[in-house]
Amino acid sequence: IGVRNCLSPFCGQQNKVSPIIKIKNKDKIVINLSNFKEIFSSSHSFLVAFTQSYESSKFKDTVIKHLLITKINNELKISGEFVIR
């Protein structure tokens, strides 16, 4: 299990997201998010699971991720990202 803060602008999306990202000097990268499911919730945090598929010309991977989202100063923040293979 890997843990990191979510830096993606797509982390807060609730529907399936299929952004196409072009990085300088790189081929097209496609990231799909789907199968969102709430695992746990309380008045100040919740845990969601989703499937993330990543594909470029050199690498392809699909993983299940869990995001821990916490209410801090009346704002929702991603406080943890767990990669489940």
Side-chain angles (χ1 to χ4, degrees), residues 62-74:
T62 299
V63 296
I64 296 172
K65 288 190 173 184
H66 290 182
L67 289 182
L68 179 60
I69 301 171
T70 306
K71 187 175 182 180
I72 301 171
N73 297 325
N74 289 324

Side-chain angles (χ1 to χ4, degrees):
I1 298 176
V3 179
R4 69 172 180 83
N5 288 328
C6 183
L7 301 175
S8 169
F10 307 105
C11 290
Q13 300 295 323
Q14 293 183 9
N15 299 317
K16 184 176 178 181
V17 178
S18 300
I20 297 176
I21 301 168
K22 181 74 174 175
I23 298 175
K24 191 175 183 177
N25 299 324
K26 297 286 182 182
D27 292 332
K28 178 174 68 174
I29 296 172
V30 178
I31 300 171
N32 290 305
L33 306 178
S34 60
N35 304 323
F36 287 85
K37 180 181 175 184
E38 182 180 291
I39 296 173
F40 166 82
S41 66
S42 71
S43 62
H44 63 279
S45 65
F46 58 97
L47 182 66
V48 293
F50 62 93
T51 303
Q52 176 182 293
S53 299
Y54 174 97
E55 185 175 352
S56 70
S57 62
K58 297 177 183 172
F59 183 73
K60 183 176 180 178
D61 194 21
T62 299
V63 296
I64 296 172
K65 288 190 173 184
H66 290 182
L67 289 182
L68 179 60
I69 301 171
T70 306
K71 187 175 182 180
I72 301 171
N73 297 325
N74 289 324
E75 293 184 355
L76 295 177
K77 304 285 184 174
I78 296 172
S79 52
E81 181 177 339
F82 311 88
V83 178
I84 314 297
R85 293 230 170 232

